[in-house]
Amino acid sequence: MENETNSFNQSQSELKQRIVLILTGSFNPVTIGHLHTLQFSRDYYQARSIQVLEGILSPVSDSYGKPGLINAKYRIEMLQAATRDEPWLRVDTWEAEQPTWTKTKLVLDHHHDLVKKKYGDDVGLRLLSGLLKIDFINQKQTR
């Protein structure tokens, strides 16, 4: 019985939590900082035995309203070029294809549904963000 208990505890401790990372933004243009945010976050989680299945980059739509915002088509092309050699990263165009700006919560709900369909219900979605994004969310939510 003791051996069975130890086996059970060992197998439970070997189980990894599985997550997908998502980074939203204008990516106007994509920078090394965007890519480092994803890479450092992946390293952080993996050092804690949390399996990162993929990283998603989700650019905003053209209706975002940022002065000087480059057309989404070109921002997507830049993101695809920047992530070409990183098979664990994926550029998702859903948010950019929306006719109006989409609240972050709706973007996360959309991706969470896709992640569950692709990987199962036990996979979490983690939004990566910088201070500018947090300030922006606070401003938009209070309007």
Side-chain angles (χ1 to χ4, degrees):
M1 173 93 167
E2 185 175 313
N3 285 341
E4 288 178 83
T5 304
N6 287 340
S7 290
F8 176 77
N9 289 337
Q10 183 178 5
S11 65
Q12 289 295 331
S13 66
E14 290 172 2
L15 290 177
K16 289 186 176 182
Q17 181 181 2
R18 301 180 317 143
I19 63 170
V20 170
L21 304 176
I22 184 167
L23 183 61
T24 62
S26 63
F27 303 104
N28 192 50
V30 61
T31 67
I32 195 72
H34 294 121
L35 301 178
H36 281 171
T37 297
L38 286 154
Q39 291 164 343
F40 293 150
S41 297
R42 180 183 63 172
D43 292 347
Y44 171 86
Y45 283 114
Q46 288 182 338
R48 285 150 183 80
S49 297
I50 298 171
Q51 183 182 13
V52 176
L53 300 172
E54 70 176 329
I56 302 169
L57 294 103
S58 179
V60 297
S61 73
D62 291 332
S63 64
Y64 178 57
K66 181 177 182 176
L69 186 64
I70 300 167
N71 183 283
K73 175 186 174 203
Y74 300 113
R75 291 183 285 121
I76 290 167
E77 288 175 4
M78 286 187 283
L79 283 166
Q80 290 170 335
T83 59
R84 179 177 38 242
D85 296 329
E86 296 288 347
W88 73 282
L89 293 178
R90 178 171 63 83
V91 178
D92 189 277
T93 62
W94 180 82
E95 183 180 359
E97 294 167 349
Q98 300 309 301
T100 60
W101 173 77
T102 307
K103 288 185 175 186
T104 303
K105 167 96 170 72
L106 296 176
V107 173
L108 295 177
D109 288 345
H110 167 78
H111 286 287
H112 191 242
D113 288 344
L114 293 178
V115 164
K116 287 193 313 187
K117 286 177 188 169
K118 185 174 182 178
Y119 297 111
D121 289 338
D122 64 332
V123 176
L125 182 67
R126 299 293 184 273
L127 173 66
L128 305 179
S129 181
L131 289 177
L132 291 176
K133 179 71 172 178
I134 292 169
D135 285 344
F136 178 79
I137 290 171
N138 286 336
Q139 290 171 7
K140 285 288 190 179
Q141 301 303 327
T142 59
R143 290 183 193 174

